[in-house]
C-alpha cells in the first residue's frame, strides 16, 4: 500500500515519511506547553512542513507514563482550532492523536485525515466511529494505560504477543467494516515496555512489516533513548533518536513520528537513496 488516502490528501508511502509531532498539551514529556496557543501551533506546523514533514500529528492529551486523563471537552478545545487552521492552510494531511470517539468525529469534520489511536480503537464507541468515518487508522499497542503501563510490564515473548494483538485488532476492524487497506500499525515503543522489550521490537520490526500494513514508529526522544545514552535528558537525545529512526526504516517502517523533523528528514533521504539503489 504505497498511497494512503487521508480524506483527499494522499500520503505517499513509496518511500519513508516523517510525521511531525504537534502536542497542544501542557504536560507532554518533550514539548508540553510550547504550542498550546493555536497561532503558535500553526507556526510550528508550517515550520515542520517546510522542514520535510509529510503529515502533522495533533494531540491534545499527553500519553507519557503517569499522565492524568483529559476530559473530552478540554481535548476538543485544544485540538479542533489547531486542526482547522492547519487543514485550511497547509497541503499535507493532518492526523489526530486521540482515543475518544467524539474527538475523532469533530477532528474529521475540522479536516483531520487520519486517526492515530494509542488504544487501537478499544475505547467504547471508537471502532463504530472509525467505521462510520472511514478514515485511515493507526492501531497502536499499549499494555495497560498511561497511568499504569510502566508498572513492571511483562511478556513471555513481546514480538509474538504484539503480532497476536495486531492480528486480533485487524480481524476485529475488518469484521466491523473498517477495511484492511485503511489500517496502519504502531508497536508502541515505550507504552508498557521495558528497554529490553523496546530493543527486541526494534530488532525484529521487519516481522511487523511482513503483515503488509504500513508501520508507524515513534521513538523520538523517548526514555529508551535516554537509557541507552547514560541518562541523557530529553533535549540531548537527537542523535540517538536519529539512529533509531534509521534502523526502524531499514527494518520496514513507513512513517517515523518525530519532534526533530529537519534532521530526521535528512537522515531518511540518505536511507531512501540506499534502499532505492539498484
Amino acid at each position: 500500500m504505497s498511497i494512503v488516502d487521508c480524506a483527499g490528501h494522499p500520503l505517499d508511502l513509496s518511500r519513508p515519511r516523517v510525521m511531525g509531532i504537534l502536542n497542544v498539551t501542557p504536560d507532554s514529556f518533550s514539548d508540553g506547553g510550547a504550542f498550546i496557543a493555536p497561532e503558535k501551533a500553526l507556526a510550528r506546523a508550517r515550520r515542520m512542513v517546510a522542514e520535510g514533514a509529510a503529515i502533522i500529528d495533533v494531540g491534545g492529551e499527553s500519553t507519557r507514563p503517569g499522565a492524568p486523563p483529559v476530559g473530552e471537552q478540554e481535548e476538543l478545545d485544544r485540538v479542533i482550532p489547531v486542526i482547522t487552521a492547519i487543514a485550511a492552510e497547509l497541503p499535507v494531511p493532518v492526523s489526530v492523536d486521540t482515543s475518544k470517539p467524539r474527538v475523532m468525529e469533530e477532528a474529521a469534520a475540522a479536516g483531520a485525515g487520519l486517526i492515530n489511536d494509542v488504544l487501537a480503537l478499544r475505547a467504547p464507541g471508537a471502532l463504530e466511529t472509525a467505521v462510520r468515518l472511514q478514515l485511515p487508522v493507526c492501531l497502536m499497542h499499549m499494555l495497560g494505560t498511561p497511568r499504569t503501563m510502566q508498572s513492571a510490564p511483562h511478556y513471555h515473548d513481546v514480538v509474538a504477543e504484539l503480532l497476536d494483538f495486531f492480528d486480533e485488532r485487524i480481524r476485529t476492524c475488518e469484521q466491523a467494516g473498517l477495511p484492511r487497506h485503511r489500517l496502519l500499525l504502531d508497536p508502541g515503543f515505550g507504552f508498557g515496555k521495558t528497554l529490553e522489550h523496546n530493543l527486541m521490537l526494534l530488532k525484529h520490526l521487519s516481522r511487523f512489516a511482513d503483515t503488509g500494513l504500513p508501520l508507524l514508529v515513534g521513538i523520538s526522544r523517548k526514555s529508551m533513548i535516554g537509557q541507552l545514552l547514560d541518562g541523557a535528558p530529553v533535549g540531548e537525545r537527537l542523535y540517538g533518536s536519529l539512529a533509531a529512526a534509521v534502523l526502524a526504516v531499514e527494518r520496514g517502517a513507513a512513517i517515523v513520528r518525530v519532534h526533530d523533523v529537519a534532521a530526521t528528514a535528512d537522515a531518511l533521504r540518505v536511507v531512501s537513496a540506499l534502499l532505492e539503489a539498484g
Side-chain angles (χ1 to χ4, degrees):
M1 180 177 10
S2 61
I3 303 290
V4 176
D5 180 9
C6 300
H9 288 277
L11 180 60
D12 183 358
L13 300 182
S14 60
R15 61 173 57 189
R17 299 296 178 184
V18 173
M19 171 185 274
I21 297 171
L22 186 55
N23 290 319
V24 286
T25 60
D27 56 347
S28 291
F29 81 94
S30 180
D31 54 1
F35 307 112
I36 292 178
E39 61 274 15
K40 289 186 177 180
L42 179 58
R44 176 62 176 160
R46 289 191 195 110
R47 179 177 175 185
M48 288 194 289
V49 171
E51 291 175 341
I55 181 170
I56 303 297
D57 190 45
V58 179
E61 179 175 17
S62 174
T63 51
R64 63 178 172 76
V70 171
E72 180 182 84
Q73 189 57 52
E74 185 174 2
E75 187 175 344
L76 286 166
D77 291 343
R78 291 175 179 179
V79 303
I80 298 304
V82 174
I83 292 170
T84 301
I86 295 172
E89 178 177 325
L90 298 176
V92 302
V94 182
S95 166
V96 60
D97 182 357
T98 189
S99 299
K100 297 183 178 69
R102 186 179 163 211
V103 178
M104 295 175 187
E105 287 207 72
E106 296 206 19
L114 185 146
I115 297 166
N116 186 15
D117 185 2
V118 299
L119 294 182
L121 300 179
R122 289 178 291 165
L127 178 56
E128 294 81 2
T129 298
V131 170
R132 187 165 59 254
L133 294 174
Q134 288 296 308
L135 292 178
V137 178
C138 183
L139 305 171
M140 197 196 82
H141 175 273
M142 175 168 56
L143 187 66
T145 69
R147 291 173 301 286
T148 65
M149 63 187 180
Q150 290 307 104
S151 299
H154 174 74
Y155 304 85
H156 293 291
D157 182 332
V158 66
V159 175
E161 289 177 46
L162 264 66
L163 286 169
D164 288 344
F165 169 83
F166 285 129
D167 182 63
E168 183 276 327
R169 294 314 298 155
I170 292 165
R171 281 188 284 105
T172 298
C173 288
E174 289 182 305
Q175 290 167 2
L178 188 62
R180 187 182 184 91
H181 71 266
R182 297 200 190 281
L183 301 177
L184 301 85
L185 306 180
D186 179 353
F189 287 93
F191 285 82
K193 285 99 177 172
T194 64
L195 176 59
E196 181 182 1
H197 296 145
N198 289 322
L199 292 174
M200 287 297 292
L201 290 172
L202 183 56
K203 182 175 182 177
H204 297 287
L205 197 64
S206 60
R207 292 181 61 184
F208 297 92
D210 288 342
T211 64
L213 297 182
L215 294 186
L216 187 155
V217 167
I219 307 181
S220 176
R221 300 186 186 177
K222 285 190 173 177
S223 61
M224 65 174 286
I225 304 297
Q227 289 176 271
L228 293 169
L229 301 181
D230 298 324
V234 170
E236 297 176 14
R237 298 175 185 173
L238 170 61
Y239 304 129
S241 296
L242 291 175
V246 167
L247 291 168
V249 166
E250 190 180 34
R251 285 160 172 77
I255 304 170
V256 288
R257 182 178 180 273
V258 305
H259 302 85
D260 303 289
V261 171
T264 308
D266 279 354
L268 295 196
R269 288 190 190 101
V270 176
V271 179
S272 295
L274 181 62
L275 294 175
E276 294 168 7

